[in-house]
Amino acid sequence: MDATMVFKRLLGSLGVGGPTVDTVIDPGAARPGGALTGQVHLKGGDADFDIEHITLELVARVEAEHGEGESEGVVAFERFTVGGGFRLGADQQHSIPFTVTLPWETPITELYGQGLGIVLGVRTELAVAGAKDKGDLDQLNIAPLPAQEAILEALGQLGFGFKSADLEYGRIGGTGQQLPFYQEIELTPAPQYAHQVNEIEVTFLANPGGIEVVLEADKRGGFFSGGHDTLTRFTVGHHDSRDWNTEVDGWIRQLVERRVSHGAYGHGDPYAGHGHGDHHHHDDHRRSGPGMGTAVAAGAAGLAVGVVGGMVAAEVVDEVGDFFEGDEEDEG
């Protein structure tokens, strides 16, 4: 089933006989910091209407942790006005091409063409005579930047497996983070680290000059280990040419050593749990399919979701329909 079909919901809140909007994003995945191109197609209603503005809103489904639980919500993280200030005649068709620049921290939704379970959308808002119709919602697909892909590929070659990915509401202290949420890609440890950590989380914070890579180790000791995750941070340029396997393995070693030396009770680590609040992960909240980590072959595509990719993507698209639909209704 074509995933984008699920996203087409013309809600017609401008009433019967009002204009309708259908935004078509150019095919292929966009990249963080890159251009998103497409066209907004308008069809006139049964009378002339003054189109005040046409605005594209980037939205993401984000998890928020609080106290003992988690909740999900939709966060709009960028808006672009792409047209307006004209009259649309009855039954008239009008198309507006657009090119907008995506934020550098836009989360990635796919790796090697496999979906990661991250849900992003482009919502089109049509403002006519004081009424607003958020009547069109399209899936947004984002591929990694070259350095992001190189780092994830190195992790795959080192034996780490993809577990799940999500967007967490909040900020990581001490970083240049701009958006109100950050993406975590959760990995099962490579065999040589399995006795020290349960999972590694990678966050990329891209900016025009390069990428901050935040690596986080779990709390292997569980309840008695003091409740602090351990973070390390590294910066890379967008076009750096490095021996990525050696480089990334060095990062992991540093993270694991820091975790062993400070992690028992979280003392003395400048980044321990910093900016994360009570960052407890409950695996039962994850949407990942059964045994996703084990279904992944090592090697160049080591982190691609593999056989379960199709299943997860379909399940997520299903959820998204309900999720976004509920959100629209709440806003009235």
Side-chain angles (χ1 to χ4, degrees):
M1 180 182 74
D2 181 3
T4 55
M5 295 307 292
V6 179
F7 285 81
K8 294 285 181 218
R9 287 203 163 71
L10 296 176
L11 300 173
S13 61
L14 298 178
V16 179
T20 56
V21 60
D22 178 23
T23 296
V24 178
I25 296 168
D26 289 346
R31 292 187 193 269
L36 181 71
T37 59
Q39 298 212 21
V40 179
H41 300 297
L42 296 174
K43 187 170 189 313
D46 56 12
D48 292 358
F49 283 89
D50 288 318
I51 308 296
E52 289 167 16
H53 67 81
I54 300 153
T55 300
L56 304 179
E57 193 172 55
L58 304 186
V59 293
R61 191 176 63 193
V62 175
E63 294 187 3
E65 298 189 2
H66 42 82
E68 288 306 300
E70 276 183 356
S71 59
E72 286 190 334
V74 67
V75 173
F77 61 99
E78 187 65 282
R79 284 170 66 84
F80 308 97
T81 296
V82 295
F86 62 91
R87 173 159 288 203
L88 184 68
D91 291 326
Q92 184 188 349
Q93 303 213 8
H94 185 64
S95 292
I96 299 173
F98 64 83
T99 301
V100 298
T101 302
L102 294 169
W104 282 100
E105 288 179 22
T106 301
I108 62 176
T109 64
E110 60 178 58
L111 181 63
Y112 308 113
Q114 295 272 15
L116 299 179
I118 294 292
V119 178
L120 300 181
V122 178
R123 186 157 54 186
T124 307
E125 179 182 287
L126 183 63
V128 180
K132 286 181 182 168
D133 181 9
K134 296 195 179 186
D136 189 41
L137 183 58
D138 297 271
Q139 189 166 6
L140 180 57
N141 298 315
I142 306 291
L145 292 163
Q148 292 172 333
E149 188 169 308
I151 290 163
L152 291 170
E153 184 161 324
L155 285 161
Q157 291 187 354
L158 291 167
F160 290 83
F162 175 82
K163 187 176 179 186
S164 66
D166 63 11
L167 304 180
E168 296 276 354
Y169 191 75
R171 295 183 188 273
I172 302 175
T175 67
Q177 184 185 337
Q178 302 289 312
L179 295 185
F181 56 84
Y182 55 93
Q183 179 173 25
E184 285 186 336
I185 298 170
E186 301 181 5
L187 308 174
T188 55
Q192 66 268 34
Y193 296 111
H195 64 292
Q196 290 165 300
V197 287
N198 281 327
E199 115 186 338
I200 297 282
E201 291 170 351
V202 185
T203 293
F204 295 114
L205 297 171
N207 58 61
I211 298 171
E212 277 185 278
V213 185
V214 183
L215 292 171
E216 186 174 5
D218 65 9
K219 307 170 290 295
R220 172 109 195 175
F223 188 70
F224 296 106
S225 68
H228 282 292
D229 299 351
T230 313
L231 301 181
T232 57
R233 296 181 307 154
F234 305 91
T235 304
V236 301
H238 284 297
H239 304 292
D240 285 7
S241 177
R242 306 188 185 188
D243 174 352
W244 287 110
N245 284 20
T246 304
E247 180 89 9
V248 172
D249 194 48
W251 294 350
I252 299 290
R253 279 177 204 277
Q254 202 169 315
L255 175 69
V256 168
E257 281 161 18
R258 169 177 268 175
R259 197 193 154 281
V260 167
S261 61
H262 300 108
Y265 296 98
H267 293 316
D269 180 356
Y271 302 126
H274 192 58
H276 278 237
D278 285 323
H279 199 78
H280 297 296
H281 281 302
H282 306 295
D283 279 340
D284 51 332
H285 288 279
R286 298 286 167 238
R287 282 184 305 280
S288 51
M292 275 179 77
T294 56
V296 178
L303 297 180
V305 185
V307 275
V308 295
M311 176 191 81
V312 172
E315 171 189 287
V316 166
V317 165
D318 247 20
E319 279 185 4
V320 152
D322 302 344
F323 176 73
F324 277 125
E325 211 170 34
D327 174 61
E328 300 285 6
E329 286 162 8
D330 292 345
E331 289 183 7

